């Protein structure tokens, strides 16, 4: 894999398309956590210093090919301007000729951000002519979005076919750290999977079973498990239609001797702003939603972690944005931190929300590595070659 550190790479005056992951948590139009922006600064600073013309591509959210006002990258370009201490220009044009006219006007050593690439439906389709169009905007392509590299999308995979392609500094850091981790893992290994990206992660869980001793499923993922084994989860946000996959997970877990845990008790509320009430999982009413794990579940997570040598964690255990539902997530952090402080565990965490939680409770020191990647982190642990990595090889 070629990197932007390659000595033979001439950057001066070159239009460098950099794919980054600016999919940061937002609330009412404001950024609530900036780790993913901070992580791309070294690559951007290097390109600026070398007098390249930097063209930033990213997505935020899942607009599914539509222009969604609340999913514009404009507020993020402002934040990036502050962090880089230079004005980051914003190019609202669709990928194509008008966008290129703007790009051709910028001086060497400057930075221009394109609008959310997922406003184009061709991005997620990995459309070949769209990939070509992206490549026509620049001379060189750099992937510094390891956390998106499990997606075979045009700006991650397709574009690399059409131009000289390199990886960025954060990408290298993630790959180096994760490859070291996977070679050093000692069993028993416990993987905690939470968060809400059910469609992405449910298949991954099935594939991870062979590698791990325990898989603890919490948060939105826990709701998906519970619903698909026939429990009433009230009005919790959750897709069904995963009965077969959940059945496969439970069956495979027996074959591979991997224990699967999901919540025994939960904290429910009628809405996101409520105070929460602890309930057995069998007692959830139709007008309630599950927003956190309960004390019995926390206790069993503690027992499992106490008996593990490695813990890998992606995804919060509840709606931690409201402190009434942050207890499960906080307790998991505390359990890992306690065990880590006695140096009795190897702990790695990953994911946009997970990083936000770890920073919120100031617990970076409790982990051997914190990855910005969630889905990509889990797929890497599966042992898969990610499309974004393959494209650079
Ligand atoms: C992430 O947050 O994991 C990445 O930005 C990828 O987002 P996606 O799951 O919507 O593809
Ligand atoms: Mg995310």
């Amino acid at each position: 894999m070629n990197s932007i550190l390659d000595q033979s790479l001439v950057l001066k005056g070159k239009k460098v398309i950099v794919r980054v992951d600016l999919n940061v948590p937002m609330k009412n139009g404001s950024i609530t956590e900036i780790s993913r922006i901070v992580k791309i600064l070294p690559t951007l600073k290097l390109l600026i210093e070398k007098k390249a013309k930097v063209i930033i591509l990213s997505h935020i959210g899942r607009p599914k090919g539509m222009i969604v006002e609340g999913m514009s990258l404009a507020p993020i370009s402002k934040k990036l301007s502050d962090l880089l201490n230079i004005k980051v220009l914003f190019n609202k044009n669709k990928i194509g000729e008008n966008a290129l006219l703007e790009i051709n006007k910028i001086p060497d050593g400057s930075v221009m951000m394109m609008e959310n690439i997922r406003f184009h439906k061709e991005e997620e389709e990995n459309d070949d002519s769209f990939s070509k169009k992206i490549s026509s905007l620049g001379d060189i392509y750099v992937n510094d979005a390891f956390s998106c590299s499990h997606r075979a999308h045009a700006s991650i995979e397709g574009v690399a076919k059409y131009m000289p392609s390199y990886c960025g500094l954060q990408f290298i850091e993630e790959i180096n750290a994760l490859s070291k981790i996977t070679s050093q893992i000692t069993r028993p290994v416990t993987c905690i999977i939470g968060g809400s990206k059910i469609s992405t992660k449910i298949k991954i869980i099935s594939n991870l079973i062979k590698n791990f001793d325990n898989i603890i499923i919490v948060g939105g993922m826990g709701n998906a498990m519970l619903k698909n084994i026939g429990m009433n989860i009230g009005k919790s946000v959750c897709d069904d239609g995963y009965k077969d996959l959940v059945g496969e997970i439970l069956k495979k877990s027996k074959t591979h001797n991997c224990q699967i845990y999901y919540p025994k008790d939960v904290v429910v509320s009628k809405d996101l702003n409520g105070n929460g009430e602890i309930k057995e999982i069998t007692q959830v009413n139709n007008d309630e939603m599950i927003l956190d794990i309960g004390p019995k579940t926390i206790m069993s997570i503690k027992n499992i972690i106490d008996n593990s040598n490695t813990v890998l964690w992606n995804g919060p255990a509840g709606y931690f944005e409201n402190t009434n539902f942050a207890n499960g997530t906080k307790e998991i952090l505390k359990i890992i931190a306690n065990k880590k402080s006695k140096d009795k565990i190897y702990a790695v965490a990953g994911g946009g929300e997970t990083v936000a939680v770890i920073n919120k409770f100031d617990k970076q020191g409790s982990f051997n590595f914190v990855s910005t990647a969630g889905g990509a982190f889990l797929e890497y642990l599966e042992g898969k070659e990610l499309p974004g990595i393959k494209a650079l090889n």
Side-chain angles (χ1 to χ4, degrees), residues 232-235 268 270 279 283-289:
N232 181 21
I233 59 164
K235 56 175 189 177
V268 299
K270 293 200 163 90
K279 285 199 165 177
Q283 303 286 234
V284 179
N285 293 325
N286 289 341
D287 62 347
E288 291 169 333
M289 47 180 133

Side-chain angles (χ1 to χ4, degrees), residues 55-56 77 88-104 106 111-116 137:
I55 321 299
I56 294 179
S77 73
V88 173
L89 305 158
F90 194 68
N91 193 333
K92 278 206 263 263
N93 293 290
K94 298 196 89 172
I95 302 291
E97 277 167 31
N98 289 339
L100 185 58
L101 286 176
E102 296 292 311
I103 290 170
N104 284 338
I106 70 173
V111 181
M112 177 171 263
M113 188 183 290
M114 305 301 301
E115 182 55 288
N116 193 340
L137 301 182

Side-chain angles (χ1 to χ4, degrees), residues 54-183:
V54 185
I55 321 299
I56 294 179
L57 287 186
S58 180
H59 76 279
I60 183 165
R62 293 178 171 176
K64 300 211 175 306
M66 316 272 276
I67 297 174
V68 179
E69 211 187 306
M71 292 185 192
S72 170
L73 283 172
I76 298 174
S77 73
K78 294 207 178 78
K79 185 76 206 169
L80 185 61
S81 298
D82 297 343
L83 293 170
L84 281 174
N85 216 3
I86 64 168
K87 170 119 185 90
V88 173
L89 305 158
F90 194 68
N91 193 333
K92 278 206 263 263
N93 293 290
K94 298 196 89 172
I95 302 291
E97 277 167 31
N98 289 339
L100 185 58
L101 286 176
E102 296 292 311
I103 290 170
N104 284 338
K105 285 185 212 155
I106 70 173
D108 295 354
S110 58
V111 181
M112 177 171 263
M113 188 183 290
M114 305 301 301
E115 182 55 288
N116 193 340
I117 191 79
R118 287 190 183 170
F119 285 179
H120 297 264
K121 72 172 186 1
E122 299 92 335
E123 161 68 0
E124 295 197 46
E125 291 166 354
N126 201 8
D127 180 272
D128 207 43
S129 55
F130 184 64
S131 300
K132 264 188 215 158
K133 251 193 203 171
I134 298 176
S135 74
S136 70
L137 301 182
D139 307 307
I140 294 166
Y141 169 75
V142 174
N143 181 346
D144 208 23
F146 172 77
S147 50
C148 303
S149 293
H150 57 317
R151 304 293 183 208
H153 294 171
S155 69
I156 296 286
E157 204 238 7
V159 65
K161 284 187 221 147
Y162 296 108
M163 59 201 309
S165 301
Y166 298 82
C167 60
L169 302 179
Q170 195 212 165
F171 192 104
I172 304 172
E173 189 194 317
E174 292 265 0
I175 297 265
N176 285 347
L178 292 178
S179 69
K180 192 168 155 216
I181 286 156
T182 39
S183 67

